[in-house]
Every structure is written in C-alpha cells, then in structure tokens.
C-alpha cells in the first residue's frame, strides 16, 4: 500500500513539472512571435546647421520631425552670387552683371522692352489737310493718313525717316472739278530737342524737313483744271471752255516732286510715343505749284 501511494505521488509530481515546462515554452514562443520594431522606423532628431546649400534633398515620408533650423531656398529666378561673414546676398540673375571674387553688384532696374531696340520706330498718323495759297480758291480742307518709319539714334539729336502718305483734297467747285487725291513717299531729316521724361521714355520737340514724290491719280479732272484757274473767280466763260478742252488731252495721273518742312511734339509712353506735327508742303505740278499743310496726330512704336 505504501509503495502504491509513493508511486502515485511521484507520477503526480512529474506531471506537474511537465506542465510547467510546457507553459513556459508556450509563453516564450508567444514572446518570440511578436514583431520587433525596426530601427529604421524610429524617429531621429538631428540638429541641422543653418548653412545654405545650393542642392535640395527630398524629405522622407517616414520622418516625423523636421530640423530645428529651416532655410528657404531662393526663388527659381535668383541665385546666390556672394556672401559675407554673416549675410547671404541674393541678386536677380536677369539684371545682375558678373562680379569679381568677393564683390556683389546691386540690382539694376530692368530696361523698358522695345520692339526694335536700335532707334527704329514705326507709326501711324491721321489728320486734316489744309490748302494754302491759290489752292484755297479751289479746294476745301481734306484729310490724310501718314505712315512714318523713323530712325532716332539713342545718342544723337539727328535722325531720319521715311513717310508714306495718302492725301485727299475736297473740291470747292460746284461743277467740273473733282476731288484731288494723291499718294506720296518722302524722306526727312529730323532734329530732336528732348525736354523731359514721361513714364521713363524721352519726350521733346523736333524739326523735320525733306522732299517727296507725289502721285496724283485724277490729275486731268482736278489739279490740271485748278492750276489753270478753271471755274474760279479769276476765270471767264471763254477761259473755262478753253481749259476744259485742254483737259481732254491730259493724262489721268501725274507724278511731281515736292519739298516740305515742319515741326512736331512727341510724348513718350513706355515703348510707344504719341506725336503731333504740322508740315508746310509744296508740290511742283505743271503750271504752278500746289501748296498745303497737313496737321497730323498719331502714335509710333519703338
């Protein structure tokens, strides 16, 4: 009986020991199966120096903090051109000239952008045309259009220009005389006298003078008649009949030379220039000259 009891007790002790060992092994396996935190996922704080750098490094999405000192990179159109012991100086590349070592140039204001940039300008003007002298007896004020191509050297008051023009004189005669129309192409010398600056562009007064080629498109029905005093206060019925008969043999067009001189005023507005001018013009047509004054206002673009 004692041997049976002892055997039973020893078996119970062995069972308890095995159970404890199994429980400890299970707990150890559970501990080992838990995921370990990777060192790469740990937040790292590192003090960054405030020294500027011309290279940019993309930030990592896994970082949870930024550096304690933040430096904003320059804008895309600026670069670092120099620095002192404590200050970083930035200049606009588009307006900064090259500097020697240790020297920083100041910012230069951008110049006005111009279409040509070498003194050339193209314009358009319109206005009234006033006959003078004997032409006043035959024509009322008309109108005209000018297209000037001008060259004004930046460092000289002397310039030159070409002017293409269309001019129309309104007939003052009730019968027999048509409106006079002409095309002309002239060349001028120009003398400028600047007197100030308006919106960063040169303004001033100027003088012009030169010559031109004038082409009349209905010469025999207009200029030929009026040059021979047709239907004016100086004519008579007999003279009118004689002039009308002679006009039948005349060409419908005539080309004559002329001269002119005048003055103008210009007002610069950025790359453009507003101007107004008046010129005394004399065209040497057969018989006698035709005289008139065009008064024009317009704009030109440099």
């Amino acid at each position: 009986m004692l041997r049976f009891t002892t055997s039973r007790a020893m078996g119970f002790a062995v069972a308890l020991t095995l159970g404890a060992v199994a429980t400890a092994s299970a707990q150890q396996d559970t501990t080992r199966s838990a995921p370990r935190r990777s060192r790469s996922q740990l937040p790292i704080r590192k003090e960054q120096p405030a020294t500027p750098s011309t290279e940019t490094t993309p930030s990592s999405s896994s970082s949870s903090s930024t550096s304690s000192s933040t430096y904003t990179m320059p804008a895309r159109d600026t670069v670092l051109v120099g620095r002192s012991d404590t200050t970083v100086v930035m200049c606009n590349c588009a307006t900064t000239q090259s500097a020697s070592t240790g020297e920083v140039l100041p910012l230069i204001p951008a110049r006005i952008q111009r279409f040509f940039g070498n003194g050339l300008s193209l314009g358009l003007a319109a206005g009234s045309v006033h006959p003078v002298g004997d032409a006043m007896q035959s024509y009322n004020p008309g109108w005209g259009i000018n297209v000037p191509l001008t060259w004004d050297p930046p460092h000289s008051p002397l310039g030159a220009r070409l002017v293409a023009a269309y001019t129309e004189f309104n007939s003052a005669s009730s019968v027999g005389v048509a409106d006079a129309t002409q095309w002309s192409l002239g060349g001028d010398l120009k003398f400028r006298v600047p007197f100030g600056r308006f919106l960063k562009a040169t303004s001033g007064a100027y003088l012009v003078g030169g010559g031109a080629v004038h082409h009349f498109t209905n010469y025999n029905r207009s200029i030929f008649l009026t040059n021979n005093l047709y239907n004016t206060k100086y004519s008579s019925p007999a003279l009118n009949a004689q002039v009308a008969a002679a006009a039948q043999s005349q060409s419908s067009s005539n080309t004559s030379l002329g001269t002119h001189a005048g003055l103008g005023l210009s007002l610069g507005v950025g790359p453009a220039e507003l101007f107004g001018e008046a010129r005394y013009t004399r065209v040497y047509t057969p018989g006698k000259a035709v005289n008139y004054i065009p008064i024009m206002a317009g704009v030109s673009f440099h």
Side-chain angles (χ1 to χ4, degrees), residues 32-120:
R32 289 179 179 179
S33 62
R36 300 183 64 182
R37 190 171 186 177
S38 175
R39 289 187 178 182
S40 61
Q41 298 179 355
L42 296 178
I44 300 176
R45 293 181 60 86
K46 183 177 179 181
E47 296 296 329
Q48 298 291 338
T51 304
S53 175
T54 58
E55 299 181 356
T56 58
T57 303
S59 58
S60 175
S61 59
S62 62
S63 299
S64 60
S65 64
T66 59
S67 60
S68 59
S69 299
T70 302
Y71 174 70
T72 303
M73 293 299 295
R76 187 171 60 182
D77 59 345
T78 60
V79 297
L80 302 178
V81 298
R83 58 175 297 178
S84 61
D85 293 339
T86 58
T87 305
V88 177
V89 181
M90 292 183 294
C91 294
N92 190 341
C93 298
T95 57
T96 304
Q97 301 176 355
S98 58
S100 59
T101 304
E103 180 184 3
V104 178
L105 297 180
L107 289 175
I108 303 174
R111 299 185 62 183
I112 298 175
Q113 297 296 323
R114 301 188 181 276
F115 293 100
F116 299 104
N118 56 358
L120 284 176

Side-chain angles (χ1 to χ4, degrees), residues 6-281:
T6 302
S7 300
R8 295 277 303 270
M10 290 179 63
F12 182 72
V14 170
L16 290 177
T17 302
L18 292 176
V21 171
T23 302
S25 299
Q27 293 178 353
Q28 184 175 3
D29 293 340
T30 303
T31 303
R32 289 179 179 179
S33 62
R36 300 183 64 182
R37 190 171 186 177
S38 175
R39 289 187 178 182
S40 61
Q41 298 179 355
L42 296 178
I44 300 176
R45 293 181 60 86
K46 183 177 179 181
E47 296 296 329
Q48 298 291 338
T51 304
S53 175
T54 58
E55 299 181 356
T56 58
T57 303
S59 58
S60 175
S61 59
S62 62
S63 299
S64 60
S65 64
T66 59
S67 60
S68 59
S69 299
T70 302
Y71 174 70
T72 303
M73 293 299 295
R76 187 171 60 182
D77 59 345
T78 60
V79 297
L80 302 178
V81 298
R83 58 175 297 178
S84 61
D85 293 339
T86 58
T87 305
V88 177
V89 181
M90 292 183 294
C91 294
N92 190 341
C93 298
T95 57
T96 304
Q97 301 176 355
S98 58
S100 59
T101 304
E103 180 184 3
V104 178
L105 297 180
L107 289 175
I108 303 174
R111 299 185 62 183
I112 298 175
Q113 297 296 323
R114 301 188 181 276
F115 293 100
F116 299 104
N118 56 358
L120 284 176
S121 64
L122 181 64
L124 178 64
S128 59
V129 179
H130 301 266
V132 295
D134 292 338
M136 292 180 62
Q137 307 297 326
S138 304
Y139 299 99
N140 295 320
W143 59 277
I145 297 176
N146 288 0
V147 180
L149 176 63
T150 308
W151 178 53
D152 291 321
H155 304 293
S156 174
L158 294 177
R161 73 177 185 179
L162 293 175
V163 180
Y166 173 81
T167 306
E168 184 169 311
F169 305 96
N170 295 324
S171 175
S173 176
S174 58
V175 292
V177 179
D179 294 344
T181 59
Q182 69 163 346
W183 297 86
S184 63
L185 178 63
D188 299 338
L189 292 178
K190 183 178 179 182
F191 179 77
R192 296 176 295 141
V193 183
F195 58 73
R197 300 185 71 84
F198 180 72
L199 296 182
K200 299 182 179 181
T202 301
S203 305
Y206 61 89
L207 301 174
V208 292
V213 177
H214 301 262
H215 180 75
F216 295 92
T217 58
N218 56 348
Y219 173 75
N220 61 335
R221 298 175 53 242
S222 59
I223 299 298
F224 176 80
L225 296 176
T226 56
N227 278 355
N228 289 279
L229 306 178
Y230 179 82
N231 202 21
T232 66
K233 64 180 182 179
Y234 304 105
S235 63
S236 63
L239 179 60
N240 287 340
Q242 181 180 356
V243 172
Q248 300 299 322
S249 61
Q250 295 295 318
S251 173
S252 60
S253 63
N254 174 267
T255 302
S256 300
L257 298 178
T259 57
H260 56 264
L263 53 85
L265 185 68
S266 64
L267 184 64
V269 182
E273 185 178 278
L274 305 177
F275 68 91
E277 68 177 50
R279 301 188 309 273
Y280 183 90
T281 304

